[in-house]
């Protein structure tokens, strides 16, 4: 079975500061990795995904994440945050290929609050 | 945005009544999923479908059933609603190998009194 741990439940930062949201996973097989963002009272929006290839993945809104297989991590970063980045961020993992029916296992989320 | 709608968007019901939530997609994707979201628990998979009439249980399936008679529609039924089923319910779709990701609907907020 796979699991996802988001190491911080809340991350407060000031506007224009850099931010890193940490995600570790465990799995006995190869995985796909995802970050989703949820703004208040909305559904989840895909930020970025790692399926294969380059370990540095760029997503929407200036976010990027790096897949580290040896550390089983997929941390999300942004060099300079805006007030509008205030949201909850979810890391998710699925088993590689179709055998899992592309089911996702989610972390419990990290609330990013950007203060002026 | 992926073409996914959920209905109703909000519902208040009483304990013991059956409730059906509908998810409709216009993407012709094979895979569809129902999740519930509760504070402190993230998203948890209730049931999923890997084709018409092909469904299976997720991690929190007790008290829920699903049906998928057409590619575009995936119904979630609470057979006899309980207060513990008060939650926000999200539907998601996936094209599978097309890009490996799931895409989410706007959610249904359900309150069971």
């Amino acid at each position: 079975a796979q699991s996802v741990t988001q190491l911080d439940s809340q991350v407060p930062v000031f506007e224009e500061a850099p931010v890193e949201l940490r995600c570790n996973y465990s799995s006995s097989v190869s995985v796909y990795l995802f970050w989703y963002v949820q703004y208040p009272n909305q559904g989840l929006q895909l930020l970025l995904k790692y399926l294969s290839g380059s370990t540095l993945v760029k997503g929407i809104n200036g976010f990027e994440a790096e897949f580290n297989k040896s550390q089983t991590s997929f941390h999300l970063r942004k060099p300079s945050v805006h007030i509008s980045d205030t949201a909850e961020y979810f890391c998710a993992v699925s088993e590689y290929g179709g055998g899992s029916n592309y089911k996702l296992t989610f972390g419990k989320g990290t609330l990013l609050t950007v203060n002026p | 945005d992926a073409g996914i709608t959920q209905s109703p968007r909000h519902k208040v019901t009483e304990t013991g009544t059956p409730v059906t939530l509908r998810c409709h997609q216009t993407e012709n994707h094979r895979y569809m999923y129902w999740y519930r979201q509760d504070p402190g628990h993230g998203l948890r998979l209730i049931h999923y479908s890997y084709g018409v009439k092909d469904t299976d249980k997720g991690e929190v399936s007790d008290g829920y059933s699903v049906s998928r008679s057409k590619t575009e529609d995936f119904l979630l039924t609470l057979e006899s609603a309980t207060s513990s089923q008060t939650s926000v319910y999200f539907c998601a779709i996936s094209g599978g190998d097309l890009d490996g990701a799931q895409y989410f609907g706007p959610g249904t907020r359900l309150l069971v009194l």
Side-chain angles (χ1 to χ4, degrees):
Chain A
Q2 53 208 9
S3 64
V4 177
T5 302
Q6 292 185 239
L7 295 153
D8 304 293
S9 59
Q10 298 186 54
V11 174
V13 295
F14 288 108
E15 194 173 18
E16 298 183 4
V19 70
E20 178 179 81
L21 306 184
R22 298 178 294 166
C23 173
N24 286 98
Y25 69 93
S26 67
S27 177
S28 58
V29 298
S30 296
V31 295
Y32 295 144
L33 293 156
F34 306 88
W35 276 98
Y36 287 86
V37 60
Q38 185 179 32
Y39 299 103
N41 298 312
Q42 294 188 25
L44 277 75
Q45 180 180 2
L46 180 67
L47 261 184
L48 49 77
K49 61 188 177 186
Y50 172 79
L51 303 183
S52 64
S54 172
T55 58
L56 182 63
V57 179
K58 294 190 183 299
I60 62 171
N61 301 338
F63 284 93
E64 64 180 32
E66 185 155 21
F67 170 54
N68 188 317
K69 188 174 182 179
S70 63
Q71 297 188 7
T72 60
S73 68
F74 191 54
H75 300 332
L76 181 69
R77 301 185 183 100
K78 187 170 183 178
S80 175
V81 294
H82 303 290
I83 298 285
S84 58
D85 292 323
T86 293
E88 190 150 26
Y89 292 78
F90 293 94
C91 181
V93 62
S94 70
E95 285 185 13
Y96 182 85
S100 71
N101 290 304
Y102 303 94
K103 291 182 291 181
L104 292 177
T105 300
F106 283 88
K108 291 187 175 7
T110 298
L111 179 62
L112 173 65
T113 302
V114 182
N115 298 300
Chain B
D1 288 345
I4 313 169
T5 56
Q6 292 185 233
S7 58
R9 294 293 314 279
H10 300 87
K11 186 167 181 67
V12 180
T13 191
E14 294 186 348
T15 298
T17 60
V19 176
T20 295
L21 308 182
R22 179 181 183 238
C23 177
H24 178 78
Q25 61 147 327
T26 57
E27 306 295 323
N28 200 36
H29 281 350
R30 176 182 175 186
Y31 300 91
M32 298 185 75
Y33 312 83
W34 277 107
Y35 293 89
R36 59 178 291 173
Q37 184 178 31
D38 304 288
H41 290 277
L43 280 90
R44 293 179 291 174
L45 182 65
I46 305 171
H47 281 280
Y48 65 99
S49 170
Y50 47 96
V52 174
K53 296 191 186 336
D54 292 322
T55 66
D56 205 349
K57 297 179 180 179
E59 63 177 299
V60 290
S61 59
D62 286 349
Y64 301 95
S65 62
V66 290
S67 66
R68 190 169 178 201
S69 58
K70 300 184 289 185
T71 298
E72 58 265 35
D73 290 325
F74 192 32
L75 304 181
L76 176 71
T77 297
L78 289 64
E79 294 141 8
S80 177
T82 68
S83 59
S84 65
Q85 293 175 313
T86 291
S87 188
V88 181
Y89 291 86
F90 287 100
C91 174
I93 65 174
S94 174
D97 279 342
L98 294 177
D99 74 352
Q102 289 186 19
Y103 297 90
F104 285 77
T108 293
R109 196 171 292 270
L110 177 67
L111 174 61
V112 183
L113 300 174

